[in-house]
Amino acid sequence: MAIYRFRISFEDFDEVVREIDIKPSQTFEDLHRAIHRSTGYSAEKSSSFYVSTDHWIKGDEIAYLPNQRKTDRGVTLMEKAKLSSFIEDPHQKFYYIYNFDRPFDFHVELIKIILETDPNLEYPVLVKSVGEAPKIIDKDNFNAVAVSSNEASTEFDFLNELDFVPGDTEELAAMDGRGINTEEKTIDDDADEDSADADEYGSDEDSYEDDEYGGKDDDY
């Protein structure tokens, strides 16, 4: 019996690649589960393969856990679809969308047909793995990310209160806080100057009054 070898790559992370050998008599659900044993993702997510052109244009859909609309339309189910029934080209391609709630898109391409099976292997089998699958942010770890974001936001709010933008933080650090103290000292200095001016003018007025009245006393 022949064996299909599929090359699977993320559409947006083409440096992450998996190659999987699988029997033609096995189903698209078997391939779906084999892919996610290799990525570490949960296989229990609504997902679909699409028969694809060479330019990754989607055709007929083969679905896992389809929604009611697809079910009513009579979509082909992965668990009932044998791979051999959809291979029309020795380089057959499938466009694959994993998890419609938080989707990842994949390119799946038949790259080799091996004429004999290995009796020591249990198919499907991962034969090549390159790169680490990107992390999925879900409800189990989203709160940790949200807390981190809030902490960063609080820091920038503090800087904004000082009329600094995030790009000015290095300037603030270089001044070692002198910008704030300088402003306070300036206000105090202005107050001292006003007080000194007041004393100066007050002294002149006192002298003027003494001289004026003193002059009248001399006349009398």
Side-chain angles (χ1 to χ4, degrees):
M1 179 183 290
I3 294 295
Y4 293 152
R5 177 166 294 176
F6 286 100
R7 183 180 188 270
I8 301 102
S9 60
F10 284 83
E11 184 173 64
D12 296 324
F13 305 89
D14 55 8
E15 72 279 5
V16 182
V17 176
R18 303 290 185 265
E19 291 183 7
I20 293 173
D21 285 356
I22 189 168
K23 295 178 181 179
S25 59
Q26 292 182 291
T27 66
F28 280 89
E29 182 182 356
D30 293 324
L31 180 57
H32 162 80
R33 293 185 179 279
I35 291 171
H36 298 302
R37 281 196 297 271
S38 75
T39 61
Y41 301 162
S42 170
E44 299 306 314
K45 302 290 184 181
S46 178
S47 306
S48 288
F49 288 94
Y50 298 85
V51 178
S52 172
T53 68
D54 288 340
H55 301 290
W56 304 109
I57 297 173
K58 298 191 292 292
D60 292 341
E61 182 178 6
I62 307 154
Y64 181 71
L65 300 177
N67 59 29
Q68 190 59 49
R69 178 178 58 82
K70 292 181 180 181
T71 301
D72 293 342
R73 196 177 67 216
V75 68
T76 301
L77 301 178
M78 285 190 195
E79 58 265 35
K80 295 182 179 180
K82 291 184 179 181
L83 292 165
S84 58
S85 301
F86 292 83
I87 302 296
E88 300 176 352
D89 188 301
H91 300 286
Q92 182 69 56
K93 295 180 180 179
F94 298 96
Y95 195 98
Y96 172 55
I97 299 178
Y98 165 72
N99 186 7
F100 285 99
D101 292 332
R102 294 181 179 274
F104 276 124
D105 295 348
F106 295 80
H107 292 167
V108 179
E109 182 178 4
L110 179 62
I111 60 170
K112 189 175 183 180
I113 298 177
I114 303 169
L115 296 180
E116 295 184 4
T117 60
D118 185 336
N120 297 316
L121 296 177
E122 182 178 350
Y123 295 93
V125 60
L126 177 68
V127 295
K128 184 177 181 180
S129 178
V130 177
E132 183 178 353
K135 301 299 182 185
I136 295 178
I137 299 176
D138 57 23
K139 63 182 180 180
D140 295 328
N141 58 17
F142 179 76
N143 289 335
V145 176
V147 169
S148 175
S149 298
N150 288 339
E151 290 174 355
S153 176
T154 301
E155 178 181 353
F156 283 114
D157 287 343
F158 171 73
L159 293 175
N160 288 335
E161 290 296 326
L162 303 178
D163 294 329
F164 280 82
V165 295
D168 293 330
T169 53
E170 293 182 0
E171 181 181 347
L172 176 61
M175 290 191 297
D176 194 23
R178 291 195 299 276
I180 304 168
N181 294 334
T182 300
E183 182 180 355
E184 293 175 353
K185 288 179 182 179
T186 301
I187 294 172
D188 292 340
D189 291 344
D190 290 343
D192 292 341
E193 290 176 3
D194 291 341
S195 177
D197 291 342
D199 292 342
E200 181 180 352
Y201 287 117
S203 299
D204 290 343
E205 290 173 359
D206 293 343
S207 298
Y208 175 76
E209 290 176 358
D210 291 342
D211 291 344
E212 182 180 1
Y213 288 112
K216 289 182 181 180
D217 289 340
D218 291 340
D219 290 342
Y220 287 110

